């Protein structure tokens, strides 16, 4: 069950001009949360903006009850959040999402992410590595200035490929192409993905075509985050004109088997 807590902001780090890493004390959440789950943050204590903002769990230090999340400033909500100071309390609901990443059945895994979608993949990869899995990670960014967490992901992988669309850093091109090339040489048991929709679509299509289990995390726009407002519906592959079938990303996800949802 998610809890609503006031979590003390222990440390605030600016990773890029508009990307921040926050560490908060949140024992009640870290004691039960799983990789792939997320939290909903009330960005300030004022009435406006009223709606909470969904942010993925990036890392958990369970023994200390520390929860870390990373966010990019996009609009009003994340801008206000970025102005919070160390020592302040942040109103958080979590952990949310019934569908965390499921790794236990797989030994050789490919993890692929892009942009802000890379954040929830760290806790997943860290846990997989702890379980002695073979973890190959492919992270795509638009350009050099947006590359984050290279050292962190290196520390939880057997192989890490960083790509930039324009070739301004590391490999030039799309992360998926490097993943495909590796899979041609060595089969993987499951692909885990989170990132921009075009990337997720391409990964989903490739996995289905090649019969590879694939779990994708959808970062749909959300309002309530609790399955009440219908703001985050995603069509299931069983859906038809006569029997439309949707799931709520906030409740049933955010992680789905790629073959089960239409994106
Ligand atoms: C399950 C989940 C996990 C997420 N995890 C992270 C995370 O770890 N780090 C992170 O930086 N962001 C994450 N996001 C996205 C984040 O929630 C949005 O960027 C944020 O809510 C925008 O709020 P805002 O008030 O700053 O922007 P708004 O003023 O609401 O919007 C500003 C711009 O951002 C766009 N936007 C709003 N919501 C989203 C969204 N969900 N996805 C993409 N674009 C959006 C709007 O279309 C608009 O162009 C996650 C979203 C979901 C649903
Ligand atoms: S955000 Fe309201 S139902 Fe999912």
């Amino acid at each position: 069950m998610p809890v609503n807590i006031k979590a003390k902001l222990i440390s605030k780090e600016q990773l890029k001009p508009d990307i921040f890493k926050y560490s908060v004390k949140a024992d009640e959440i870290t004691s039960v949360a799983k990789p792939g789950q997320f939290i909903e943050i009330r960005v300030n204590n004022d009435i406006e903006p009223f709606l909470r903002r969904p942010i993925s769990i990036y890392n958990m230090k369970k023994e200390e009850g520390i929860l870390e999340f990373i966010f990019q400033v996009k609009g009003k909500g994340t801008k206000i959040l970025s102005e919070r100071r160390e020592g302040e309390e942040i109103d958080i609901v979590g952990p949310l999402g019934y569908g965390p990443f499921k790794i236990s059945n797989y030994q050789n895994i490919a993890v692929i992410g892009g942009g802000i979608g890379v954040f929830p993949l760290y806790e997943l990869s860290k846990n997989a590595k702890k379980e002695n899995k073979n973890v190959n990670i492919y992270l795509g960014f638009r350009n050099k200035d947006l590359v984050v967490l290279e050292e962190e992901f290196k520390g939880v992988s057997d192989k890490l490929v960083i790509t930039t669309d324009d070739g301004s850093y590391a490999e030039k091109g799309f992360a998926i192409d490097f993943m495909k090339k590796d899979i041609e040489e060595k089969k993987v048991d499951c692909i885990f993905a989170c990132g921009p929709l075009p990337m997720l679509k391409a990964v989903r299509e490739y996995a289905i075509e090649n019969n590879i289990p694939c779990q994708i995390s959808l970062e749909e726009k959300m309002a309530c985050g609790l399955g009440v407002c219908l703001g985050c519906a995603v069509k299931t592959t069983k859906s038809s004109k006569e029997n439309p079938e949707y799931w709520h990303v906030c409740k049933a996800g955010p992680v789905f088997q790629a073959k089960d949802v239409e994106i």
Side-chain angles (χ1 to χ4, degrees):
M1 270 298 282
V3 288
N4 184 188
I5 59 163
K6 300 264 190 293
K8 189 167 177 181
L9 178 55
I10 312 250
S11 95
K12 169 177 178 175
E13 208 182 315
Q14 190 162 6
L15 304 183
K16 295 280 169 185
D18 62 347
I19 299 184
F20 294 83
K21 176 173 147 191
Y22 280 15
S23 304
V24 296
K25 183 90 172 104
D27 303 75
E28 300 90 332
I29 297 178
T30 57
S31 58
V32 288
K34 299 199 171 64
Q37 287 191 298
F38 65 101
I39 52 177
E40 283 244 300
I41 303 175
R42 186 110 197 237
V43 292
N44 64 8
N45 299 323
D46 298 335
I47 302 293
E48 280 289 326
F50 178 67
L51 290 176
R52 292 172 180 274
R53 299 299 192 262
I55 298 289
S56 305
I57 296 173
Y58 157 67
N59 183 34
M60 287 185 284
K61 297 176 184 164
K62 292 217 177 212
E63 317 75 55
E64 300 153 65
I66 303 283
L67 184 154
E68 297 184 324
F69 57 91
I70 300 181
F71 62 95
Q72 182 169 34
V73 175
K74 284 263 169 132
K76 189 175 173 185
T78 42
K79 174 86 179 78
I80 295 169
L81 186 59
S82 73
E83 288 158 1
R84 304 300 301 269
R85 298 203 187 121
E86 285 178 5
E88 287 182 9
E89 287 188 330
I90 301 182
D91 186 328
I92 293 176
V93 173
L96 290 165
Y98 288 141
F101 290 114
K102 296 177 186 71
I103 49 176
S104 53
N105 291 340
Y106 308 108
Q107 182 56 34
N108 297 309
I109 67 170
V111 175
I112 177 162
I116 59 167
V118 307
F119 304 141
L121 299 175
Y122 179 76
E123 181 69 20
L124 161 80
S125 307
K126 188 182 84 180
N127 278 269
K129 208 67 222 104
K130 250 191 226 156
E131 292 178 26
N132 290 321
K133 315 243 179 222
N134 187 38
V135 184
N136 288 349
I137 304 182
Y138 308 85
L139 303 180
F141 300 92
R142 282 208 309 276
N143 60 52
K144 183 181 178 199
D145 295 338
L146 299 172
V147 176
V148 280
L149 305 173
E150 183 172 5
E151 284 309 309
E152 287 79 355
F153 276 101
K154 207 177 265 172
V156 293
S157 60
D158 294 278
K159 174 175 182 174
L160 172 67
V161 178
I162 300 274
T163 66
T164 47
D165 298 357
D166 62 359
S168 52
Y169 185 74
E171 303 285 355
K172 181 174 191 238
F174 294 132
I176 186 173
D177 295 324
F178 291 84
M179 181 186 78
K180 283 181 187 172
K181 216 166 127 231
D182 283 353
I183 294 178
E184 270 167 30
E185 283 164 26
K186 189 167 185 277
K187 209 173 163 293
V188 299
D189 306 323
C190 189
I191 300 171
F192 296 86
C194 185
L197 212 48
M199 192 201 91
L200 285 186
K201 281 184 184 199
V203 172
R204 176 182 179 275
E205 207 175 287
Y206 170 75
I208 291 173
E209 265 169 22
N210 290 277
N211 215 9
I212 304 171
C214 176
Q215 299 175 26
I216 53 174
S217 180
L218 300 179
E219 299 201 332
E220 285 294 317
K221 283 184 197 162
M222 287 183 187
C224 71
L226 297 165
V228 184
C229 74
L230 306 178
C232 63
V234 61
K235 212 186 217 178
T236 74
T237 37
K238 282 198 204 123
S239 186
S240 64
K241 226 176 176 182
E242 299 73 40
N243 291 309
E245 191 182 288
Y246 290 86
W247 284 328
H248 297 149
V249 174
C250 67
K251 276 210 102 172
V255 180
F256 295 94
Q257 299 292 336
K259 63 176 174 42
D260 292 344
V261 286
E262 272 183 27
I263 53 172

